[in-house]
Amino acid sequence: VFILAKKEILNAMRERDVISAIFTSVALGVLLVVMYILGIDQVGEVDAKLTLPIFLAMALFLGALLHCAMLGAAAIGSEGKKLWIFKSLPVKAKLVLKGKAVALIFLSIPSMLVILLPLPLIAGFPWAVTLFFVIMAIVLVLALTGMGLYVGALFVNFDDTNRGQPDFMVQFMIMS
């Protein structure tokens, strides 16, 4: 599994999707810190001490959705016409999918940390709250990786022009 995951990681680093997802995660982390520095801690009727944790939860969800679900949904379709090779390999398809899942999880760790850690450290969140967000990030990564691979296998798209991404309706279904 780990040899397949290493291959997937090397292939993913060559793709523009992973680089743009990492850039988006860094932007989300910076945005959260800028919101704290500018003092944006009251939005409408929401209590001020809940605003930053709510924004952090939304940013974690967006980061996991982008890294795990969207890239996972494209993981099978990106193989394109080479997918028939899986049938002739001595490796089972389930093992290949596990390798893809491990690669997605490994690639999402730095991006999720960039979103997760700066705001609680700068804003001085209690350790229990920070630990809750760490657990929430782990659950989001695992759940959305599984969902992305499942949706990618169910609605596979072999079009080479969009690098295996499912069509827009499937992407909206993932997001909702």
Side-chain angles (χ1 to χ4, degrees):
V1 172
F2 293 108
I3 294 171
L4 293 169
K6 181 180 175 184
K7 176 205 158 283
E8 286 295 322
I9 290 169
L10 292 175
N11 286 341
M13 294 310 279
R14 285 184 258 161
E15 297 276 334
R16 289 180 292 168
D17 297 338
V18 173
I19 303 300
S20 64
I22 291 171
F23 177 75
T24 304
S25 297
V26 170
L28 281 170
V30 168
L31 180 67
L32 289 171
V33 171
V34 167
M35 287 175 56
Y36 174 72
I37 291 172
L38 293 178
I40 301 173
D41 58 355
Q42 183 71 33
V43 178
E45 300 288 324
V46 178
D47 187 12
K49 61 185 173 190
L50 296 177
T51 304
L52 290 176
I54 288 171
F55 284 143
L56 180 58
M58 288 189 302
L60 283 172
F61 176 74
L62 288 174
L65 182 70
L66 180 64
H67 270 281
C68 302
M70 292 302 177
L71 293 180
I76 297 170
S78 65
E79 298 295 334
K81 296 176 177 82
K82 299 176 289 187
L83 195 63
W84 66 270
I85 296 173
F86 287 152
K87 297 285 187 181
S88 62
L89 287 177
V91 179
K92 293 186 178 185
K94 187 184 270 189
L95 193 63
V96 173
L97 286 178
K98 284 181 182 179
K100 287 181 180 289
V102 169
L104 284 170
I105 291 168
F106 183 76
L107 285 171
S108 69
I109 291 171
S111 298
M112 294 302 281
L113 288 176
V114 166
I115 296 171
L116 174 67
L117 291 181
L119 182 64
L121 293 177
I122 291 173
F125 283 13
W127 285 106
V129 174
T130 306
L131 180 64
F132 168 76
F133 281 113
V134 168
I135 293 170
M136 185 177 108
I138 292 169
V139 169
L140 281 170
V141 164
L142 294 175
L144 292 178
T145 298
M147 185 181 74
L149 287 173
Y150 175 76
V151 169
L154 193 62
F155 301 104
V156 106
N157 184 4
F158 296 123
D159 187 8
D160 290 334
T161 59
N162 60 8
R163 295 182 310 278
Q165 287 287 345
D167 64 6
F168 289 115
M169 292 306 292
V170 174
Q171 290 181 12
F172 285 125
M173 180 183 71
I174 292 172
M175 288 184 238
S176 60

